[in-house]
Amino acid sequence: MTDNKNFEDYTPELQKNARLAKDWYSRICDSLEKCPFCNLKSKYIIAKEQGWALTVNLFPYIEGHLLIIPQNHIESHLQMKSGDWESISKLLVLADSLLEQALGINGYNLVLREGEHGGKSLGHLHFHLIPFEEGLVSWSYRKIRESPQETARKLREKLDECR
């Protein structure tokens, strides 16, 4: 691994399988001096829509792993502005077509990691489009203590406070 602290310095070969090497990706993220999404190189960008970009993931989980990112640095979906969801929606429709027509991928998971314990490795807001493949993601279901109706009741009680 190189001592340089920028995603761009890692070769395409290193990028292809970075997720398989133990702690390699974590070490890269920990060594960053600046946000890699704020000045993303055009060679990674597929399309743009009103301040948002559809891009390949620089360190993909699976073939065809894409990201939708704001071109300006924001860290949470709570900082999004009016019209952002429309731009994201347009890029999702485009991504869906591109994945199917160019790569033969029909189905993906859309993932947004938020909050202190959401598992996000970079501060810059980004949505993952992770092509579905059996066995890639396995859900570890938990025993549920209360019924969905009880959960809905608790949430409705706080509704006015949260608006």
Side-chain angles (χ1 to χ4, degrees), residues 17-81:
N17 293 301
R19 301 283 183 170
L20 298 177
K22 187 175 193 264
D23 298 328
W24 196 83
Y25 178 77
S26 296
R27 288 195 313 267
I28 292 171
C29 287
D30 292 345
S31 72
L32 288 174
E33 295 176 345
K34 61 184 180 178
C35 176
F37 292 153
C38 286
N39 295 299
L40 189 63
K41 303 290 186 218
S42 61
K43 65 183 176 182
Y44 297 115
I45 297 172
I46 300 162
K48 294 180 182 179
E49 181 67 42
Q50 300 295 312
W52 289 80
L54 174 65
T55 178
V56 294
N57 188 327
L58 277 63
F59 297 97
Y61 302 172
I62 188 172
E63 299 288 343
H65 184 172
L66 304 178
L67 299 174
I68 294 177
I69 61 170
Q71 292 180 275
N72 292 322
H73 189 90
I74 61 174
E75 297 198 2
S76 169
H77 73 283
L78 299 173
Q79 297 170 299
M80 291 171 51
K81 295 183 175 129

Side-chain angles (χ1 to χ4, degrees), residues 44-142:
Y44 297 115
I45 297 172
I46 300 162
K48 294 180 182 179
E49 181 67 42
Q50 300 295 312
W52 289 80
L54 174 65
T55 178
V56 294
N57 188 327
L58 277 63
F59 297 97
Y61 302 172
I62 188 172
E63 299 288 343
H65 184 172
L66 304 178
L67 299 174
I68 294 177
I69 61 170
Q71 292 180 275
N72 292 322
H73 189 90
I74 61 174
E75 297 198 2
S76 169
H77 73 283
L78 299 173
Q79 297 170 299
M80 291 171 51
K81 295 183 175 129
S82 176
D84 285 343
W85 286 112
E86 183 178 340
S87 298
I88 291 167
S89 181
K90 287 179 181 179
L91 290 173
L92 280 171
V93 169
L94 177 61
D96 192 80
S97 293
L98 288 170
L99 285 171
E100 186 167 356
Q101 292 179 28
L103 303 177
I105 295 169
N106 186 355
Y108 56 87
N109 291 298
L110 178 62
V111 177
L112 169 63
R113 294 183 174 144
E114 275 289 334
E116 183 181 348
H117 301 291
K120 186 164 57 169
S121 57
L122 297 171
H124 195 121
L125 175 68
H126 55 287
F127 296 84
H128 292 262
L129 286 80
I130 305 170
F132 178 80
E133 182 178 287
E134 194 69 42
L136 177 65
V137 175
S138 73
W139 293 98
S140 179
Y141 300 104
R142 302 292 191 260

